[in-house]
Amino acid sequence: MSTKSIVELSCPPPLPAKETVLLGHGSGGKLSADLLRDVFLPFLRNPVLARLDDQAVVAISGQRVAMTTDSFVVKPLFFPGGDIGSLAVHGTVNDLAMGGAVPLFLSAAFILEEGLAVDPLKRVVHSMQQAADAAGVQVVTGDTKVVEKGKGDGLFITTTGIGVVPEDVELSADRAQPGDKVILSGSIGEHGIAILAQREGLEFETTIKSDSAPLHTLVAAMLRASGEIRCMRDPTRGGVSSTLNEIAQQSRVCIELEEWTIPVREEVRGACELLGLDPLYVANEGKLVAIVAPEAADSILQAMRKHPLGKEASVIGTVQEERSRSGRVMMRTTLGTRRIVDMLAGDQLPRIC
Amino acid sequence: MSTKSIVELSCPPPLPAKETVLLGHGSGGKLSADLLRDVFLPFLRNPVLARLDDQAVVAISGQRVAMTTDSFVVKPLFFPGGDIGSLAVHGTVNDLAMGGAVPLFLSAAFILEEGLAVDPLKRVVHSMQQAADAAGVQVVTGDTKVVEKGKGDGLFITTTGIGVVPEDVELSADRAQPGDKVILSGSIGEHGIAILAQREGLEFETTIKSDSAPLHTLVAAMLRASGEIRCMRDPTRGGVSSTLNEIAQQSRVCIELEEWTIPVREEVRGACELLGLDPLYVANEGKLVAIVAPEAADSILQAMRKHPLGKEASVIGTVQEERSRSGRVMMRTTLGTRRIVDMLAGDQLPRIC
């Protein structure tokens, strides 16, 4: 990890006046949280939304139904390991899965820019269908709008998903407790670096592929292994650091990571050093972090490692009883120091999903 | 109604090669149907989507749940009678209601353009909340993305709604039968003309307001009055003509309208004549058409007229047993002639919702 980028990220640059929307408001980091707190929550306040999980869980005729939505504005539309279509399916399937829900049905709304070629659009729709088939979900309803040339950017897709939450499952970002273990399902940073490399025309010895994948069967295996999972999140925009900061804040605990336990592929580490990025802040689209009871960690890890998407699962930290650091993420570094891992401050990588 | 505009609309202009997306693909008319048929349905085919209703009805633990999604790209964001926020709530509530569903929960995904002022964004979110409160639905989950300046247009909102369909309700656009009556809930064209007037800076003696409103309580009153409603649709993009053409095609029947029975406010008629538009093709956001069994029409009309949004409800036509005109909408005109009412062919009014 490059020290330079860590320093930059810990000291947010002076921001312009907040009266207008900045690119960083879409980063998944601190500015996104500000926007949510200042603009959305004051008006849309209700108990379900206020939980700030990646999915809402509501009761319909006594059945707990999870609902989640995401707009995808990734640029470019096609990248190594996926495209906006497969990403839109995986992202929404994963947000349902993180609440322990079994994903069932998706909607897909397309905002097309006038002049978009129909051929790539067909490829994207085809890719969505393949991803939906592979994940065992159905795209049951949709919408298409067209905006004038120069008022959009090719193609934006908003997918919304619904699924059912099994009776005994209760996952939420406010349930982490001192002593809990932090599990990460595999190596980090691949999606963000794949997009960035494609966008900037960077070439590395090995092509870095997005890790975009549906995580619901991995989650199902974990839930079968133990009832002691507190919460799960997929560290997308803002990366592992922002995700863990959100959990630490919502559970009012301190999370301590051990740097040497966090898997980063060699080529991703190299690309990050070259670009001055910290992999902890780079988006993933096929990884999850789970906070689990300490006694359950081993059996959950075993179950994960039997799954193709959890082979490299490991414990990367613990939840601490440290009042003065409540709501914080700390890191024991390979150098033996201890530092704060803050939320992403600015707009490290816009339009990554 | 201006004869000029009718002639123009019946003879679609020669279209450019179909390899790129045109503004008209978002019109809700013929080109939208082409795009759906050529690009989306070949890949996303499944029995639920193939019904092509405005909402999908799926079974979750034995309960019928309706799901619908719509992106809103209306321009300008604020207009007489509403704004993109209230419209996004009403549009999705109405799509659920048209399937007979009781709307319960909404998601809202925002695509913001860098540089958008935060103040109008707050006003929009506030307006969404007021519309949701008034309609008795909750916005339970959301998402925000930001795109670079020049890659969006201020603000796009995608709302997705879920609701429950009562046990005895079975509405679908393929259920119209010869002899059925066509009911329209009120005067047409107000939303489209309000937007257009605002956008083009046109001034009329009276400000024409959008009719944007949630229709689910009107629908509930209709369903209480009779079990003999075949289908309902809200004639938004493409107007009453396109909506009835879709029903005629899906039910393989001919629908005959009587021109003099269709209510159009004087100021809307005047604006349409000035602009060379046919009100039958202009979008509504607070009106519905219903196809009902002939013997049930009177009691349904009575129930509608007791509701504030159905005071001007009337029968505007009948479903005919006319094989040679199957899938067509015909109109008996005030001049005593009979003409074809086609789907909207081009892009009469882009970005109306």
Side-chain angles (χ1 to χ4, degrees):
Chain A
M1 250 162 272
S2 125
T3 314
K4 180 171 158 280
S5 69
I6 292 169
V7 172
E8 276 173 359
L9 289 163
S10 312
C11 310
L15 296 172
K18 279 191 187 170
E19 289 84 21
T20 61
V21 171
L22 310 173
L23 266 183
H25 282 122
S27 65
K30 221 172 234 169
L31 281 174
S32 297
D34 290 352
L35 191 71
L36 190 64
R37 189 195 59 226
D38 297 342
V39 175
F40 291 97
L41 289 182
F43 300 111
L44 296 176
R45 190 164 284 290
N46 65 58
V48 186
L49 192 69
R51 280 176 64 208
L52 294 184
D53 280 321
D54 285 343
Q55 70 299 121
V57 178
V58 297
I60 294 185
S61 307
Q63 171 68 58
R64 285 194 301 160
V65 173
M67 182 180 195
T68 187
T69 194
D70 259 318
S71 288
F72 293 85
V73 299
V74 65
K75 188 178 170 177
L77 299 178
F78 300 89
F79 47 83
D83 57 59
I84 190 172
S86 55
L87 187 66
V89 171
H90 294 157
T92 291
V93 162
N94 290 349
D95 278 347
L96 289 173
M98 293 309 115
V102 179
L104 294 175
F105 304 106
L106 301 189
S107 65
F110 295 78
I111 299 176
L112 311 176
E113 185 192 9
E114 179 188 19
L116 172 71
V118 167
D119 179 63
L121 177 60
K122 281 186 182 172
R123 283 165 59 204
V124 164
V125 176
H126 189 196
S127 159
M128 284 193 89
Q129 181 59 35
Q130 290 181 315
D133 283 348
V137 295
Q138 280 188 307
V139 179
V140 291
T141 191
D143 180 51
T144 308
K145 293 282 159 42
V146 182
V147 295
E148 304 91 331
K149 204 166 172 59
K151 300 296 182 185
D153 197 11
L155 171 59
F156 303 142
I157 302 179
T158 302
T159 44
T160 305
I162 56 177
V164 295
V165 185
E167 217 167 291
D168 50 345
V169 172
E170 189 65 67
L171 304 173
S172 186
D174 58 6
R175 299 187 65 234
Q177 295 168 29
D180 285 350
K181 297 292 180 190
V182 182
I183 291 178
L184 172 66
S185 66
S187 56
I188 63 171
E190 285 140 47
H191 177 73
I193 295 298
I195 298 288
L196 198 64
Q198 175 82 359
R199 191 150 72 198
E200 308 296 336
L202 305 177
E203 292 198 9
F204 303 107
E205 266 178 51
T206 328
T207 301
I208 298 169
K209 276 191 182 175
S210 166
D211 59 339
S212 179
L215 292 165
H216 60 306
T217 57
L218 175 63
V219 169
M222 293 167 69
L223 290 171
R224 274 195 303 272
S226 167
E228 296 300 311
I229 301 174
R230 316 285 193 211
C231 77
M232 287 188 271
R233 281 276 174 107
D234 54 338
T236 56
R237 278 187 293 177
V240 167
S241 61
S242 301
T243 297
L244 289 178
N245 266 282
E246 285 170 18
I247 296 173
Q249 284 167 24
Q250 283 172 57
S251 293
R252 298 167 195 231
V253 295
C254 170
I255 293 177
E256 188 178 78
L257 304 178
E258 294 176 330
E259 188 174 19
W260 57 91
T261 62
I262 300 172
V264 184
R265 285 201 202 301
E266 211 40 59
E267 58 267 32
V268 170
R269 193 183 299 276
C272 279
E273 276 177 10
L274 197 72
L275 297 163
L277 297 173
D278 182 338
L280 272 180
Y281 292 89
V282 178
N284 312 276
E285 291 289 346
K287 298 299 177 323
L288 64 82
V289 291
I291 311 288
V292 309
E295 64 277 13
D298 277 348
S299 57
I300 293 169
L301 274 179
Q302 277 176 31
M304 291 177 79
R305 288 177 182 154
K306 285 182 196 154
H307 191 283
L309 296 175
K311 277 181 193 161
E312 295 177 282
S314 54
V315 171
I316 62 164
T318 51
V319 179
Q320 306 275 339
E321 172 89 82
E322 193 177 350
R323 295 263 164 90
S324 64
R325 299 286 194 188
S326 171
R328 284 281 191 196
V329 179
M330 305 299 296
M331 169 96 91
R332 288 200 182 280
T333 69
T334 44
L335 303 171
T337 60
R338 191 167 186 256
R339 67 171 176 91
I340 291 172
V341 177
D342 220 334
M343 284 192 98
L344 179 63
D347 51 345
Q348 191 184 31
L349 295 172
R351 298 187 55 187
I352 215 72
C353 62
Chain B
M1 249 161 270
S2 126
T3 313
K4 179 171 160 283
S5 69
I6 293 168
V7 173
E8 275 173 359
L9 289 162
S10 314
C11 310
L15 297 171
K18 279 191 185 169
E19 287 84 21
T20 61
V21 171
L22 310 173
L23 265 183
H25 281 123
S27 66
K30 221 171 233 169
L31 282 173
S32 296
D34 289 352
L35 191 73
L36 190 64
R37 189 194 58 226
D38 297 343
V39 175
F40 291 96
L41 289 183
F43 300 110
L44 296 176
R45 189 163 285 290
N46 65 58
V48 186
L49 192 70
R51 280 177 62 206
L52 295 182
D53 281 321
D54 284 344
Q55 71 297 121
V57 178
V58 298
I60 294 185
S61 307
Q63 170 69 58
R64 286 193 302 161
V65 173
M67 182 179 195
T68 187
T69 195
D70 259 317
S71 288
F72 293 84
V73 298
V74 65
K75 188 178 171 176
L77 298 178
F78 300 89
F79 47 83
D83 58 58
I84 190 172
S86 55
L87 188 65
V89 171
H90 295 157
T92 292
V93 163
N94 290 348
D95 278 346
L96 289 173
M98 294 307 115
V102 179
L104 294 174
F105 303 107
L106 301 188
S107 64
F110 294 77
I111 299 176
L112 311 176
E113 184 191 9
E114 179 188 19
L116 172 72
V118 167
D119 179 63
L121 177 60
K122 282 186 181 172
R123 281 166 59 205
V124 164
V125 176
H126 190 197
S127 159
M128 285 192 89
Q129 181 59 35
Q130 289 181 315
D133 284 349
V137 295
Q138 280 189 308
V139 179
V140 290
T141 191
D143 180 52
T144 307
K145 294 282 160 38
V146 182
V147 296
E148 305 91 332
K149 203 166 172 62
K151 300 295 182 186
D153 196 12
L155 170 58
F156 303 141
I157 302 178
T158 302
T159 43
T160 305
I162 56 177
V164 296
V165 186
E167 218 166 288
D168 50 346
V169 173
E170 189 65 66
L171 304 172
S172 187
D174 58 7
R175 299 186 67 234
Q177 295 169 28
D180 285 352
K181 297 292 178 189
V182 182
I183 291 178
L184 173 65
S185 66
S187 56
I188 63 172
E190 285 140 49
H191 177 72
I193 295 298
I195 298 289
L196 198 64
Q198 175 82 359
R199 191 150 73 199
E200 308 297 336
L202 304 178
E203 291 196 12
F204 302 106
E205 263 179 52
T206 328
T207 301
I208 298 169
K209 277 191 182 175
S210 167
D211 59 339
S212 181
L215 293 165
H216 60 305
T217 57
L218 176 63
V219 168
M222 293 167 70
L223 289 171
R224 274 195 303 272
S226 167
E228 296 301 310
I229 301 174
R230 317 286 193 208
C231 77
M232 286 187 273
R233 282 275 173 106
D234 54 338
T236 56
R237 276 187 297 175
V240 167
S241 60
S242 301
T243 297
L244 290 178
N245 266 281
E246 284 170 18
I247 296 173
Q249 284 166 24
Q250 283 172 59
S251 292
R252 297 167 197 231
V253 294
C254 170
I255 292 177
E256 188 178 77
L257 304 178
E258 294 176 331
E259 189 174 18
W260 57 92
T261 63
I262 300 172
V264 184
R265 284 201 202 301
E266 210 40 58
E267 58 267 32
V268 170
R269 192 182 299 277
C272 279
E273 276 176 11
L274 196 73
L275 297 162
L277 297 173
D278 182 338
L280 273 180
Y281 292 88
V282 178
N284 312 278
E285 291 289 347
K287 298 298 177 324
L288 64 81
V289 291
I291 311 287
V292 308
E295 65 276 13
D298 277 347
S299 57
I300 294 169
L301 274 179
Q302 275 176 34
M304 292 177 78
R305 288 177 182 156
K306 283 181 197 155
H307 191 283
L309 295 175
K311 276 181 192 162
E312 294 178 282
S314 54
V315 171
I316 62 164
T318 51
V319 179
Q320 307 276 339
E321 172 89 83
E322 191 176 351
R323 296 264 162 89
S324 63
R325 301 284 194 189
S326 170
R328 285 280 190 196
V329 178
M330 306 298 297
M331 168 97 91
R332 287 200 183 279
T333 69
T334 42
L335 301 173
T337 60
R338 192 167 186 255
R339 67 172 177 90
I340 291 173
V341 177
D342 219 336
M343 283 191 99
L344 180 62
D347 50 345
Q348 192 186 31
L349 295 172
R351 298 187 57 187
I352 216 71
C353 62

